[in-house]
Amino acid sequence: MKVSLALGLKIIAIIIISFSVISLNKQNIYFMTLKFSHGKPVGRGILLAGDVIGEIYLADHTSELGEGNWVKLSGGFSIRIPTLIFKYGGPFSVAVAREGKRIDIRLRYMSKIFRYPIDTHQMYYVGDYVTATFYGSSILRGQTIEARLIEVAPLKIWGIIKEAMDRGNIIPFRRLLERVTWHKTVRLNNTGDVSIRFKVNRTGDYILVFMKEEKDPHYKLYLYSFTLIKVLKSKVIVDAPFRAKIGDYIDIKVSLANGLPSLGGYI
């Protein structure tokens, strides 16, 4: 079969474009994209997307630590945590109207199940050093991102998320990310990973976020991973027997390291 030069070039172009699209799809590490915009009413209860307020990209996670976009902590002391299984089921695309704003939600999967690959979590005392390793996808190799430590109670995070999803208001979310206790700009290595180290000087609840922001032409947040960090004021030391029989008196000694002395006890 003879093929003309023009037709041959068209076929080659189609093949190149097809492979480019496949490559771009493989490069997409984001599980969910949220696009917030001012709505344009076109009918009862119908809003078309208007001027964009902001976009949030959430990185995908897997059951593997090395490529899963997870953060592993060290330093402090460890506590065991139960096996955590995450499951999602739903549509690829959803558009909702919230108080004059439109939220477009795009997902890569209609369903997915994955496991949290870490079975311990670190806790810290004031003055401890935290080492955190972000195990990013190799697609992120060489990119410059930011690590931010933010003091915030877990329940407040949930309230801020509800504000964004229920009212289309992402201003509290942006303000939260600006309340930085510590931060560092980092460059990911050839496997998309990076380790950081910092000292915690005050008790409280924190989140450590690995992220990137863009503000032109509109706000974009790329959220790669985050983890909770709890800093305790004092260490409780408990001395108790390993075995006892029913009816035995048990002598338990409890001391509070680095705590203020108490004449009447702490309870």
Side-chain angles (χ1 to χ4, degrees):
M1 181 179 65
K2 294 183 179 180
V3 179
S4 67
L5 177 60
L7 180 58
L9 291 175
K10 288 181 180 179
I11 293 173
I12 293 172
I14 291 171
I15 293 173
I16 292 173
I17 292 172
S18 299
F19 276 109
S20 298
V21 171
I22 293 171
S23 177
L24 286 172
N25 287 336
K26 288 183 177 179
Q27 296 296 313
N28 180 15
I29 68 162
Y30 302 105
F31 164 64
M32 179 185 295
T33 302
L34 302 168
K35 184 176 182 180
F36 300 83
S37 57
H38 294 288
K40 291 182 177 180
V42 293
R44 187 173 182 180
I46 300 176
L47 287 178
L48 295 180
D51 294 335
V52 177
I53 300 170
E55 295 178 88
I56 299 175
Y57 297 82
L58 305 179
D60 197 6
H61 290 77
T62 70
S63 298
E64 296 181 4
L65 178 62
E67 283 281 310
N69 296 313
W70 297 109
V71 179
K72 185 173 177 60
L73 300 173
S74 58
F77 66 96
S78 299
I79 59 171
R80 297 281 299 182
I81 58 176
T83 300
L84 302 176
I85 304 294
F86 300 91
K87 183 177 181 180
Y88 169 79
F92 280 120
S93 176
V94 176
V96 295
R98 292 288 187 267
E99 298 192 6
K101 300 181 181 69
R102 174 175 164 133
I103 307 172
D104 288 275
I105 305 171
R106 302 285 185 269
L107 298 123
R108 287 184 65 191
Y109 313 100
M110 288 189 69
S111 64
K112 182 175 181 177
I113 299 175
F114 60 95
R115 177 182 59 84
Y116 184 56
I118 304 171
D119 58 5
T120 61
H121 192 74
Q122 302 304 112
M123 305 284 281
Y124 300 92
Y125 299 113
V126 172
D128 281 349
Y129 282 90
V130 178
T131 299
T133 301
F134 169 61
Y135 291 98
S137 167
S138 56
I139 295 173
L140 296 171
R141 65 173 66 91
Q143 290 197 26
T144 298
I145 65 173
E146 189 175 0
R148 295 187 186 182
L149 182 68
I150 299 164
E151 185 174 5
V152 61
L155 287 179
K156 187 166 185 178
I157 298 174
W158 177 244
I160 290 172
I161 293 173
K162 281 183 61 63
E163 177 73 11
M165 300 308 297
D166 291 348
R167 302 182 60 190
N169 181 14
I170 63 172
I171 292 176
F173 194 78
R174 294 183 60 177
R175 287 177 178 169
L176 171 66
L177 295 176
E178 293 170 355
R179 292 169 45 193
V180 178
T181 300
W182 176 92
H183 73 98
K184 185 176 183 179
T185 300
V186 296
R187 185 178 179 85
L188 304 180
N189 64 16
N190 289 334
T191 57
D193 307 335
V194 70
S195 290
I196 57 173
R197 187 171 184 261
F198 56 91
K199 186 178 181 180
V200 285
N201 297 311
R202 189 171 62 186
T203 59
D205 296 298
Y206 299 83
I207 56 170
L208 177 63
V209 185
F210 287 85
M211 53 173 279
K212 182 170 66 175
E213 282 183 316
E214 295 177 2
K215 297 183 179 180
D216 187 35
H218 57 262
Y219 181 77
K220 290 183 181 180
L221 170 66
Y222 301 89
L223 183 58
Y224 300 109
S225 194
F226 74 92
T227 190
L228 302 176
I229 292 181
K230 179 74 173 180
V231 182
L232 305 173
K233 184 175 182 179
S234 301
K235 181 178 182 180
V236 176
I237 302 172
V238 179
D239 183 11
F242 288 102
R243 297 181 181 87
K245 294 184 296 183
I246 295 176
D248 286 352
Y249 287 97
I250 300 175
D251 185 18
I252 300 176
K253 297 179 180 179
V254 180
S255 59
L256 191 63
N258 302 322
L260 297 175
S262 172
L263 298 177
Y266 292 99
I267 299 177

